Amino acid sequence: MKIKLKLIILLLSVARISSAQIDSSLLKRVEKDTTNTTMSMDELYNRPFLKINKLPVSLGGYLEFNYQHLGTDGVSDGHEFQFRRLSLFIASSVSKRIKFLSEIEFEHDKDEELEGNPMEIEIEFAAIDFEFHPLLNLRGGIILNPIGSFNQNHDGPKWEFTDRPIAMTQMLPATFSNTGFGLYGKHYSNDWMFGYEFYLTGGLDNTIIDNDLNKTYLPHANENSARFVTSNSGEPLLTGKLAVRNTKIGELGISWMGGVYNKWREDGAIIDEKRRSDVIDIDFNTTLPKIDTKIIAEWAWVFVQVPDDYFEQFGTKQQGGFMDIVQPVLKTKILGWEDATLNIAMRLEYVDWNIGEFEDTGDNIADDVWSIMPAISFRPTAQTVLRLNYRYLKQQDIIGNPPATTGGIIFGVSSYF
């Protein structure tokens, strides 16, 4: 807690000193790569940054906050005003072909706050890159495991929806980061681009099946901050991704993350058998020519080895994903904003937390959720979005009782700064 308090004081001090001593005319926006030669793997660095005169450091970040009124089967918590998160970016060119980037996130989780737990403050990304060749780069530090596309491309201002995809945040561990090392690179020729990433990091832990939810739940591993200094299983987690992009068709990526998650050895003695968790993910994004319809889709499968004495409510197979469809309907000058855009959008989501059948009855194990989320968004600039969503969600329990229905509106603002 003392470390968190010192971090807040330090950041506020930097902001105060900056505002008191820096001429705003010295702040310059770092040119963002808007060409179509970037891939999802470039999104971490392809963010808006401000550079201060000749200082070798660039700053950036984003914030997002919402209003929502949701109810489940007629029961509602009423009007809610939520400050979701504030992220700060710091980037620096250490020397020729050596660069540094960090992301520090301040996040409010509603459930945690209601239980009296404080706001989460964490270093989500802090890595040094050594650029040997476009096809061979070394990255080390706290990295975002490149499982799927959303994990590395999660900034709020990029999305037309107030909530992050259910499958990518409640089935996969959202914005999952670990300490580790890896290689990445890309090559492009004419309309084609190819990219790869491969990392060895710390891994998941026993809480993905030993948790208060009494279900297989990979996001629980995010609560274990010890993963930044040790690996629960004593073995590395492997994460790899291959992606190919055609400037006229779109980008297709396939990724895998797997390894032993449980503590099977302690003080040199074998205390359990090794159990693995594996995730396979496919992502795709494209923009249809002429009508500029943007389509973003991602689907993942989770496989977890569960002890034989666990009940069937702990799923060994899970699957889920989402598809966003975003259609610009107006692009013009509005209220002085030269390139303002009005969009209509739709998100379709589905997650099955337990694929399979009960051994005794042969009945399907339900435990699934699906959601439709229509939206209207207004972007005065590409870096800022005001978005109005309607959430319609059906969730079924493990034995397949009639699903609970959640509905309501959410209005949110998210912007880079």
Side-chain angles (χ1 to χ4, degrees):
M1 188 64 193
K2 289 182 179 178
I3 295 175
K4 293 180 178 179
L5 182 60
K6 289 179 180 179
L7 181 60
I8 294 174
I9 294 173
L10 176 62
L11 291 170
L12 291 175
S13 299
V14 170
R16 183 178 178 183
I17 292 171
S18 299
S19 62
Q21 298 184 353
I22 297 176
D23 183 346
S24 60
S25 64
L26 299 178
L27 296 173
K28 294 182 179 179
R29 179 68 67 185
V30 178
E31 292 295 326
K32 183 180 176 183
D33 188 350
T34 57
T35 67
N36 55 6
T37 58
T38 60
M39 305 178 73
S40 291
M41 61 185 291
D42 301 311
E43 293 300 328
L44 286 171
Y45 277 94
N46 196 25
R47 291 159 153 168
F49 282 95
L50 282 170
K51 192 170 179 58
I52 307 171
N53 200 13
K54 296 183 179 179
L55 287 177
V57 175
S58 301
L59 303 174
Y62 73 91
L63 80 163
E64 54 185 349
F65 48 94
N66 296 336
Y67 158 80
Q68 69 178 29
H69 191 287
L70 298 173
T72 300
D73 290 341
V75 179
S76 171
D77 291 330
H79 303 276
E80 298 177 295
F81 299 86
Q82 301 178 336
F83 185 86
R84 290 285 179 90
R85 59 185 58 86
L86 165 67
S87 287
L88 300 176
F89 313 141
I90 302 173
S92 172
S93 293
V94 179
S95 64
K96 187 177 181 180
R97 298 197 304 276
I98 301 177
K99 59 186 181 181
F100 165 81
L101 174 65
S102 69
E103 179 179 356
I104 302 170
E105 186 167 273
F106 303 75
E107 186 173 32
H108 283 280
D109 182 279
K110 177 185 173 183
D111 294 333
E112 293 292 331
E113 296 276 0
L114 292 177
E115 292 178 3
N117 298 321
M119 175 178 63
E120 294 180 5
I121 304 172
E122 66 175 5
I123 299 174
E124 198 164 271
F125 184 91
I128 294 179
D129 287 18
F130 298 84
E131 301 174 350
F132 304 118
H133 183 274
L135 265 174
L136 183 63
N137 303 275
L138 173 67
R139 172 172 293 166
I142 298 176
I143 65 168
L144 283 164
N145 297 70
I147 182 67
S149 176
F150 181 83
N151 203 46
Q152 293 182 305
N153 191 18
H154 58 268
D155 292 357
K158 294 182 177 179
W159 301 83
E160 315 306 310
F161 302 91
T162 53
D163 293 336
R164 292 173 169 177
I166 298 172
M168 278 56 252
T169 56
Q170 298 179 40
M171 187 182 74
L172 304 185
T175 58
F176 188 53
S177 57
N178 266 304
T179 307
F181 299 86
L183 301 173
Y184 69 93
K186 68 177 184 178
H187 174 75
Y188 62 90
S189 175
N190 300 320
D191 291 333
W192 289 95
M193 282 172 278
F194 163 78
Y196 78 93
E197 296 178 85
F198 179 78
Y199 297 98
L200 299 174
T201 68
L204 304 170
D205 59 60
N206 295 56
T207 65
I208 67 172
I209 58 168
D210 185 10
N211 55 63
D212 53 5
L213 297 174
N214 291 319
K215 63 189 291 185
T216 302
Y217 194 70
L218 268 57
H220 235 291
N222 256 335
E223 298 181 10
N224 180 18
S225 59
R227 73 183 188 278
F228 294 118
V229 293
T230 185
S231 178
N232 184 63
S233 68
E235 299 193 5
L237 179 72
L238 280 66
T239 311
K241 181 172 183 179
L242 297 174
V244 61
R245 180 178 185 84
N246 182 287
T247 55
K248 297 177 181 177
I249 300 174
E251 179 176 338
L252 175 66
I254 180 167
S255 49
W256 163 74
M257 181 175 75
V260 177
Y261 69 85
N262 64 313
K263 182 174 281 298
W264 59 276
R265 179 175 57 191
E266 189 164 12
D267 296 331
I270 306 299
I271 59 173
D272 198 356
E273 62 180 87
K274 294 182 181 180
R275 296 188 178 86
R276 291 183 58 86
S277 64
D278 293 275
V279 179
I280 298 173
D281 187 291
I282 295 177
D283 64 87
F284 176 75
N285 71 80
T286 187
T287 301
L288 301 181
K290 298 183 180 179
I291 56 177
D292 288 339
T293 304
K294 182 185 295 184
I295 299 173
I296 304 171
E298 186 171 342
W299 192 270
W301 295 267
V302 175
F303 305 91
V304 178
Q305 292 180 331
V306 175
D308 294 335
D309 57 349
Y310 270 50
F311 294 114
E312 291 174 279
Q313 67 197 69
F314 293 87
T316 58
K317 300 177 187 175
Q318 301 175 327
Q319 66 174 343
F322 73 99
M323 182 170 67
D324 287 0
I325 304 170
V326 181
Q327 179 61 58
V329 294
L330 184 63
K331 286 184 177 181
T332 186
K333 182 177 180 180
I334 300 176
L335 299 175
W337 289 298
E338 296 291 340
D339 298 313
T341 306
L342 181 68
N343 300 303
I344 57 174
M346 176 74 78
R347 169 172 289 171
L348 308 173
E349 301 182 81
Y350 176 76
V351 179
D352 186 344
W353 274 290
N354 198 335
I355 302 173
E357 301 172 344
F358 290 107
E359 290 184 4
D360 292 340
T361 64
D363 294 335
N364 178 54
I365 301 175
D367 201 9
D368 54 23
V369 59
W370 61 266
S371 170
I372 298 175
M373 205 167 185
I376 299 174
S377 67
F378 173 64
R379 291 184 176 274
T381 73
Q383 298 175 3
T384 302
V385 60
L386 295 84
R387 48 203 180 187
L388 177 65
N389 299 173
Y390 181 79
R391 167 75 82 182
Y392 184 78
L393 179 148
K394 292 269 192 182
Q395 183 153 7
Q396 206 169 27
D397 63 18
I398 189 169
I399 59 175
N401 284 315
T405 303
T406 298
I409 61 169
I410 312 172
F411 173 74
V413 176
S414 187
S415 179
Y416 286 111
F417 52 83

